[in-house]
Amino acid sequence: MRSERRSERLGARRLTAAMGTALVLVSGGAGCATVPTSGSPRAAQEDHGKDTLSQPYVRLIATPPKKGAPPEDIVKGFQAAMAAFDDPDLAIAREYLTSGAVKRWNPWQQTRIYEGKIESDHTQDLQKATRMTVTLKGTAVATIDPEGRSTPAAGAIGEPFMLVKQNGEWRIDGLSDGRLLSYDDLQRAYRRVDLYYPPASGEIGLVDDRVWVPIEPGRGVPETLVRRLLAGPTSSIRNAVTSAFPPGTRLNRITVEGDTVVLDFSAELEAVPTDRLDALKAQLVWTLGELVTGRTVEIRVNGESGRRFRPADYARYDPNVLTGSLQAYYMQGGRLLQFKEKGDGTPVPGAAGEQTGKFSQPAVSNPNNYPPLVAALLNGDGVYVASMAPGSQWQRWIAGGDMSPPSWDRYGAVWSAERVNPHESRVWMAENGRARRVDIDDELSYGRIIELRVSRDGARIAAIVDDGLGTSVKIGTIVRNGLQTRIESVRTLIEPRDARKIKDIAWQDAADLLVLSEGSSGQELANWSVMEGVVPNDGPIKLDSKIKSIAAVPDHVLAAADEGQVLTYSVDKHAWTPRADNGSTDPVYPLG
């Protein structure tokens, strides 16, 4: 189930500027003109048959203040100039400020996104007044930090701009630091992108790092993406990843030669070790995504012909791990069964399918490691593991009397949280039957961890925590350093609310978490972007059936209903369909 996120809730708005026509967006004192160019985030005409590297879009060109412009138009012109990325140094925007304000203003501190309008005090006589306040009134939407990380914001805003008259012209003398952009500016001038970095552990794979980047029209989308990739990961994930690009590597240019996308880099790229070349190529093709789909990619160094490759050859680096046909599982009659296309499921080989013990809360390991392993809670004294091989037996990997349901990471380790008391939890991971404790931030250790799930790219955990004030969802970054593993950068994704309880969570993909919650109005299912902290534009799905648990992969959702059924969600029909009944419970996808 893929839903548009809250940050794109107005994405259905279409820019109506005609191709090849210049429009004036802000009239009166100052503003900016719009002209079509190529390579932007927002295509003026969406035609997937066209060259995705050179799609046209609407761009804003900043214009200086008009002589004699009134205060309201000065502020409007300043706002428009802040959103004109043809002027990366904001030289035109600074012309709307007094010399003192130019020295004080720091536009790079953060970017705040709002919806609203600018209002001035119309009771003042502009001919006589020498000072005036113009206020931007509206609703806060989000903030974007200098790294490009977006954080949701809410509530009314009243942003004052203090203006003074100098030599007969109004200029802004007092304003807050940072850039203040409208939601329309964000949609036109920014692109939300997923950057990809190899895990610091050296394993094959990629980790997703989602940011918002301003598109400079002179560079276009592909060049902007690669330059941002070279700048490195955000601080929230930095300790968990690395980059195959040597420090100091610069992008010279990107060109298209026939069906080949050519990326020309500086001489630093020659220092890439042979065993890191595949990771470097994977970083590029996964970050560029559909921009290079169906093409050949060539890497050059200072114009010298280099290595050519196909993006499809790097599917094994998928941060979601699961490729090809997805196998799902469920519990029935005390056994773990695997779904079949038609008819009843079949018991899995080994202990989990042979009713050798009363186990619950099964989790299935990476299917690329054969045979897959099943972890479950058994005997009330810990997490047990059995392979999907005939004759296998349960073996205890993690000991503990009050453990959360197990979760596998992509590297073959099973995770679980031990509830020590109502106010303290510990996190354990185990590989090949050997358990070790994971260091965790205090924010995660306080309270009862009801559920803990490792993301499929292996870089994050999501946890349902009850700290006595209600249930919340927290996100943390997994940092591996040899035998030492810790969870850091823990933050709250969903705050506790007395009227609503978090029932279950499941990773849908490397960046999105499916959350099942229940309140006085019933149950609902929402897909949260863990890096942006936002929910879908159309809001959560209201559930008619009483759901006990969920499982998810990209484009697929399974749920266990109270009636002893497992349901599947149809993205096309926006409806639930029975998949298994007769006492079926606990649907499971590998990992997540």
Side-chain angles (χ1 to χ4, degrees):
M1 178 185 67
R2 290 196 180 203
S3 301
E4 292 298 315
R5 298 168 179 83
R6 174 179 176 269
S7 59
E8 295 180 340
R9 66 192 186 284
L10 302 180
R13 296 177 180 176
R14 293 290 178 234
L15 297 174
T16 56
M19 296 297 297
T21 304
L23 303 177
V24 177
L25 292 187
V26 182
S27 59
C32 49
T34 69
V35 295
T37 184
S38 62
S40 150
R42 180 66 60 180
Q45 293 180 350
E46 295 190 3
D47 182 352
H48 297 292
K50 291 185 176 181
D51 185 351
T52 55
L53 287 173
S54 58
Q55 283 186 329
Y57 78 105
V58 175
R59 98 194 206 202
L60 300 185
I61 299 176
T63 58
K66 187 177 179 180
K67 186 175 178 59
E72 189 169 317
D73 284 350
I74 291 295
V75 175
K76 287 181 179 179
F78 175 67
Q79 290 295 103
M82 281 195 292
F85 288 94
D86 281 65
D87 183 17
D89 295 327
L90 298 179
I92 300 298
R94 296 176 199 276
E95 293 186 27
Y96 289 85
L97 307 179
T98 64
S99 58
V102 168
K103 295 177 182 178
R104 295 190 299 270
W105 183 49
N106 175 15
W108 317 119
Q109 186 179 78
Q110 68 174 357
T111 299
R112 289 178 292 155
I113 311 301
Y114 74 93
E115 289 178 310
K117 60 182 180 179
I118 294 168
E119 296 181 359
S120 60
D121 184 354
H122 297 288
T123 63
Q124 293 194 50
D125 185 342
L126 296 184
Q127 297 299 320
K128 298 180 180 179
T130 58
R131 302 186 68 86
M132 187 175 182
T133 299
V134 173
T135 304
L136 187 151
K137 296 182 178 180
T139 304
V141 175
T143 61
I144 300 175
D145 70 14
E147 292 184 315
R149 293 182 299 174
S150 174
T151 303
I157 60 172
E159 188 73 19
F161 293 86
M162 308 296 295
L163 291 92
V164 299
K165 188 179 285 186
Q166 295 182 337
N167 301 320
E169 299 293 337
W170 288 100
R171 292 294 181 265
I172 299 169
D173 189 53
L175 74 165
S176 301
D177 283 336
R179 300 169 88 161
L180 194 59
L181 303 183
S182 72
Y183 185 80
D184 286 338
D185 290 334
L186 174 74
Q187 293 297 301
R188 175 191 51 75
Y190 275 73
R191 166 74 64 86
R192 188 187 66 189
V193 300
D194 292 298
L195 308 173
Y196 294 95
Y197 297 94
S201 63
E203 301 278 353
I204 289 178
L206 292 171
V207 172
D208 193 348
D209 193 13
R210 179 171 290 169
V211 297
W212 285 81
V213 294
I215 305 300
E216 295 183 31
R219 290 179 172 173
V221 173
E223 188 173 343
T224 299
L225 295 187
V226 176
R227 290 183 186 277
R228 179 60 188 84
L229 179 70
L230 294 175
T234 62
S235 56
S236 66
I237 201 73
R238 188 171 297 145
N239 292 335
V241 300
T242 183
S243 178
F245 287 90
T249 302
R250 302 181 308 280
L251 175 68
N252 294 327
R253 65 188 63 85
I254 297 179
T255 56
V256 179
E257 299 177 5
D259 69 343
T260 300
V261 178
V262 179
L263 298 103
D264 186 29
F265 293 95
S266 60
E268 286 82 358
L269 197 71
E270 293 179 337
V272 179
T274 303
D275 62 356
R276 297 290 285 166
L277 275 175
D278 278 350
L280 184 149
K281 295 174 184 178
Q283 279 189 261
L284 282 174
V285 299
W286 275 90
T287 297
L288 289 169
E290 64 179 14
L291 297 175
V292 294
T293 299
R295 300 174 183 267
T296 298
V297 177
E298 182 177 344
I299 296 175
R300 296 178 182 173
V301 176
N302 288 334
E304 296 292 329
S305 295
R307 303 171 179 86
R308 293 165 61 93
F309 55 96
R310 292 279 184 182
D313 294 339
Y314 295 87
R316 68 186 186 279
Y317 283 82
D318 190 339
N320 294 311
V321 181
L322 307 178
T323 59
S325 178
L326 297 176
Q327 180 63 64
Y329 306 85
Y330 65 102
M331 291 283 292
Q332 188 183 69
R335 298 183 295 175
L336 185 66
L337 281 63
Q338 57 186 23
F339 280 106
K340 295 195 303 185
E341 271 196 42
K342 295 182 179 179
D344 297 333
T346 57
V348 302
E354 297 170 359
Q355 292 183 289
T356 57
K358 187 173 179 59
F359 64 94
S360 63
Q361 306 289 339
V364 177
S365 70
N366 189 340
N368 297 325
N369 301 328
Y370 191 83
L373 302 176
V374 180
L377 301 181
L378 182 65
N379 298 332
D381 64 356
V383 175
Y384 286 71
V385 174
S387 71
M388 289 189 193
S392 68
Q393 301 295 317
W394 290 109
Q395 296 180 335
R396 189 171 68 173
W397 280 26
I398 302 175
D402 189 7
M403 307 297 295
S404 70
S407 176
W408 290 96
D409 68 25
R410 68 183 300 172
Y411 308 115
V414 66
W415 294 61
S416 182
E418 179 185 11
R419 283 75 66 113
V420 180
N421 58 56
H423 307 296
E424 182 185 0
S425 293
R426 299 170 183 161
V427 174
W428 297 87
M429 64 178 295
E431 297 174 280
N432 299 318
R434 294 185 295 274
R436 63 178 185 268
R437 189 172 169 181
V438 177
D439 291 333
I440 57 178
D441 284 359
D442 290 342
E443 186 171 344
L444 189 60
S445 64
Y446 182 77
R448 289 172 54 84
I449 298 179
I450 307 301
E451 193 168 322
L452 183 144
R453 298 293 181 191
V454 182
S455 62
R456 288 193 172 89
D457 64 7
R460 297 176 178 88
I461 63 96
I464 302 175
V465 180
D466 187 345
D467 62 0
L469 301 175
T471 50
S472 63
V473 176
K474 297 182 183 293
I475 304 295
T477 300
I478 300 172
V479 178
R480 296 174 169 87
N481 185 13
L483 294 178
Q484 291 186 328
T485 303
R486 68 181 185 275
I487 299 173
E488 62 180 37
S489 301
V490 177
R491 63 196 184 281
T492 301
L493 179 69
I494 304 176
E495 296 285 352
R497 289 183 292 169
D498 291 337
R500 180 155 294 275
K501 182 178 182 180
I502 308 297
K503 302 286 289 183
D504 200 7
I505 53 176
W507 287 95
Q508 182 135 47
D509 55 35
D512 301 293
L513 185 74
L514 202 62
V515 178
L516 173 68
S517 62
E518 184 174 19
S520 57
S521 60
Q523 289 188 325
E524 59 186 34
L525 202 58
N527 200 3
W528 286 74
S529 169
V530 299
M531 285 173 258
E532 298 171 286
V534 292
V535 294
N537 98 354
D538 51 359
I541 299 172
K542 298 294 184 181
L543 301 175
D544 295 328
S545 300
K546 191 78 167 177
I547 300 299
K548 298 169 63 177
S549 66
I550 53 175
V553 291
D555 296 323
H556 297 274
V557 177
L558 291 171
D562 270 356
E563 296 81 7
Q565 286 184 317
V566 171
L567 311 173
T568 183
Y569 183 75
S570 170
V571 176
D572 295 334
K573 298 180 181 179
H574 301 286
W576 294 91
T577 304
R579 181 81 185 270
D581 48 24
N582 297 326
S584 300
T585 63
D586 296 299
V588 178
Y589 281 113
L591 306 177

